[in-house]
Amino acid sequence: MSWQVLIMFAVAAVLALVGTGLLLALFRPSGPARVYVFRMAGVMLLAAGFVLAASAWAMQQWSLEP
C-alpha cells in the first residue's frame, strides 16, 4: 500500500471521527444555532470521510492492476 493511500485513509478516518463526534454531541441539550451547525458540519464531515475512503480504496485497487 502506497503512502498516498495510507494518508488518504488516515485523513478519511479523522474526518469521519470528527463528524461522528459532532453528531454525538447533539445528544446534549443546546441552542438551535449550535444544533444546526453541528448537524450540518457533522454530516458533511462524515460524508467527506466516506468519499475519501472510497477514493483511497479505488486508488489502491487501480494500482494493483497490471
Side-chain angles (χ1 to χ4, degrees):
M1 190 174 292
S2 68
W3 284 105
Q4 294 89 349
V5 173
L6 288 174
I7 290 170
M8 287 174 72
F9 276 126
V11 172
V14 169
L15 290 174
L17 287 175
V18 171
T20 303
L22 286 176
L23 292 174
L24 290 175
L26 292 172
F27 283 113
R28 292 179 299 202
S30 53
R34 184 174 175 154
V35 168
Y36 175 77
V37 170
F38 275 32
R39 185 181 300 149
M40 186 64 65
V43 168
M44 286 192 295
L45 286 169
L46 201 55
F50 176 74
V51 169
L52 188 60
S55 297
W57 180 81
M59 189 169 145
Q60 175 64 24
Q61 294 303 312
W62 291 333
S63 68
L64 295 178
E65 292 180 7

